[in-house]
C-alpha cells in the first residue's frame, strides 16, 4: 500500500505557461472550467480539446506527470460514462439485448460529459503543475483584494490555502512512513475488503493526525517568533506585473476561445 499525493506539487520548467502571470492563469483556468459546462456539441468539444492541448504542449509538462493527477478520479469518470451510456435513452436504438438497451443519445452523452470533465480536470492539474503554491495563493489574494474593503479576510484565507497546499506532500510522505512502519510490524494492509481495510487504516489515521497537529503547532510557534501579522499591507519579495508582451497574447487567445465557443453555441454547430 503506497500513498501518493500529487496535488500542490509544482513541476519546474522554463516554458511559456510557467512564465505567465499567476492571475492570468487563474482567471483563464476558471473561465475554461466554467465554459466546459457550456460545451454541448462535438465541435465545441474539439475546440476545448485544442485549447487544452495547446496549453499542455506549451507547458512542457510530461504527459505521465499530468495524467497521474487524473488517475485517482479515473473511476469516477468511468462510472459517469457508464451511467450516461445505459441510462440516457434518447435517439436511435443501437443495441437491444434483453434489458440492456443502448441509444445514440447515450453514446453521445457518455462521450460528451466524460471528455469535457476530463478536459476540466486537465486544465486544473496544469494550473497546479505550472504555478507554485505561493504564486497561486498570492495571485488569488490579489484578485480578491477588493473584498478586503468589505471585511473579508482575504490575506488570512490566502495564507491558510498556501499552508494547506504546502503540507499536502509533507503529510503524504508522513503517511508513507507510517505505512512502512506498520508493515514492518506485521500489519497486513493489502488484499482486504472494504470493512477490513477501514479497520486496518485506524492505526494509520491516529499517528497521521498527531503528526498534523505537531506540524501545525510548530508552524504557529514559528509565525509567532517572527512576529507575523497578516493583512493587505504586507508586501511581497516578487511583485506581480502583467506583461503585455507575454500575458497579452495569452489573454487574447483565451478571449478568442470564449468568443468561438459562444459562436458555436449560438449557431448550433
Amino acid at each position: 500500500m503506497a500513498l501518493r499525493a500529487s496535488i500542490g506539487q509544482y513541476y519546474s520548467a522554463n516554458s511559456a505557461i510557467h512564465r505567465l502571470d499567476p492571475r492570468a492563469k487563474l482567471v483563464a483556468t476558471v473561465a475554461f472550467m466554467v465554459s466546459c459546462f457550456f460545451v454541448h456539441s462535438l465541435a465545441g468539444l474539439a475546440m476545448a480539446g485544442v485549447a487544452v492541448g495547446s496549453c499542455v504542449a506549451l507547458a512542457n509538462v510530461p504527459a505521465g506527470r499530468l495524467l497521474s493527477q487524473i488517475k485517482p478520479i479515473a473511476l469516477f469518470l468511468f462510472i459517469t460514462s457508464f451511467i450516461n451510456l445505459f441510462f440516457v435513452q434518447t435517439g436511435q436504438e443501437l443495441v437491444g439485448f434483453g434489458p440492456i438497451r443502448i441509444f445514440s443519445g447515450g453514446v453521445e452523452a457518455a462521450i460528451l460529459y466524460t471528455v469535457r470533465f476530463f478536459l476540466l480536470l486537465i486544465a486544473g492539474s496544469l494550473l497546479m503543475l505550472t504555478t507554485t503554491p505561493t504564486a497561486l495563493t498570492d495571485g488569488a489574494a490579489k484578485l480578491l483584494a477588493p473584498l478586503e474593503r468589505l471585511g473579508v479576510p482575504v490575506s488570512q484565507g490566502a495564507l491558510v490555502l498556501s499552508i494547506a497546499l504546502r503540507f499536502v506532500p509533507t503529510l503524504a510522505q508522513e503517511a508513507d512512513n507510517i505505512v512502512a512502519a506498520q508493515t514492518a510490524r506485521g500489519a497486513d494492509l493489502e488484499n482486504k475488503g472494504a470493512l477490513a481495510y477501514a479497520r486496518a487504516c485506524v492505526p494509520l489515521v491516529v499517528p497521521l493526525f498527531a503528526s498534523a497537529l505537531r506540524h501545525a503547532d510548530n508552524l504557529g510557534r514559528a509565525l509567532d517568533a517572527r512576529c507575523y501579522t497578516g493583512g493587505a499591507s504586507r508586501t511581497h519579495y516578487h511583485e506581480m506585473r502583467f506583461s503585455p508582451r507575454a500575458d497579452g497574447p495569452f489573454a487574447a487567445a483565451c478571449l478568442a476561445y470564449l468568443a468561438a465557443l459562444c459562436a458555436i453555441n449560438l449557431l448550433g454547430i
Side-chain angles (χ1 to χ4, degrees):
M1 175 181 174
L3 301 178
R4 295 290 182 267
S6 57
I7 183 173
Q9 293 187 357
Y10 170 73
Y11 180 80
S12 179
N14 185 22
S15 70
I17 302 297
H18 284 75
R19 293 191 296 268
L20 289 174
D21 189 296
R23 294 167 295 181
K25 287 190 281 187
L26 264 173
V27 173
T29 302
V30 172
F32 177 80
M33 288 181 171
V34 173
S35 72
C36 284
F37 294 102
F38 294 92
V39 174
H40 303 296
S41 64
L42 293 179
L45 198 64
M47 180 75 66
V50 169
V52 171
S54 300
C55 291
V56 171
L58 291 173
N60 292 333
V61 175
R65 184 68 179 272
L66 186 60
L67 293 177
S68 66
Q69 297 202 350
I70 311 298
K71 186 177 179 180
I73 318 176
L75 179 61
F76 173 77
L77 293 177
F78 175 78
I79 294 175
T80 302
S81 177
F82 181 84
I83 292 175
N84 286 309
L85 182 62
F86 290 100
F87 289 93
V88 177
Q89 299 183 350
T90 58
Q92 181 182 359
E93 183 176 351
L94 302 177
V95 177
F97 183 74
I100 300 177
R101 303 173 66 189
I102 298 178
F103 293 81
S104 59
V107 175
E108 182 179 350
I111 296 174
L112 181 64
Y113 294 121
T114 303
V115 173
R116 76 178 186 180
F117 192 73
F118 174 78
L119 295 177
L120 184 150
L121 293 175
I122 289 291
S125 300
L126 189 64
L127 173 67
M128 301 295 295
L129 287 170
T130 59
T131 314
T132 62
T134 301
L136 192 64
T137 53
D138 286 347
K142 289 287 186 181
L143 291 173
L144 299 176
L147 295 179
E148 291 274 5
R149 299 178 181 179
L150 301 177
V152 179
V154 174
S155 301
Q156 288 81 355
L159 176 64
V160 171
L161 177 60
S162 177
I163 293 173
L165 292 175
R166 170 62 184 84
F167 273 95
V168 165
T170 301
L171 293 178
Q173 184 60 46
E174 291 273 358
D176 277 338
N177 295 338
I178 295 171
V179 168
Q182 294 291 342
T183 303
R185 292 179 175 88
D188 183 14
L189 302 175
E190 301 287 350
N191 302 322
K192 289 181 175 290
L195 184 59
Y197 180 80
R199 291 176 178 172
C201 286
V202 173
L204 309 180
V205 173
V206 174
L208 183 62
F209 187 71
S211 175
L213 291 178
R214 184 174 63 254
H215 282 299
D217 184 62
N218 293 337
L219 180 61
R221 292 175 183 273
L223 291 175
D224 288 340
R226 289 164 176 79
C227 301
Y228 174 84
T229 56
S233 59
R234 287 187 59 85
T235 59
H236 299 273
Y237 184 73
H238 296 286
E239 291 292 337
M240 296 182 184
R241 292 182 176 85
F242 187 86
S243 172
R245 184 175 181 179
D247 302 317
F250 177 74
C254 292
L255 292 175
Y257 161 75
L258 294 176
L261 185 60
C262 290
I264 289 174
N265 288 335
L266 290 175
L267 296 175
I269 301 176

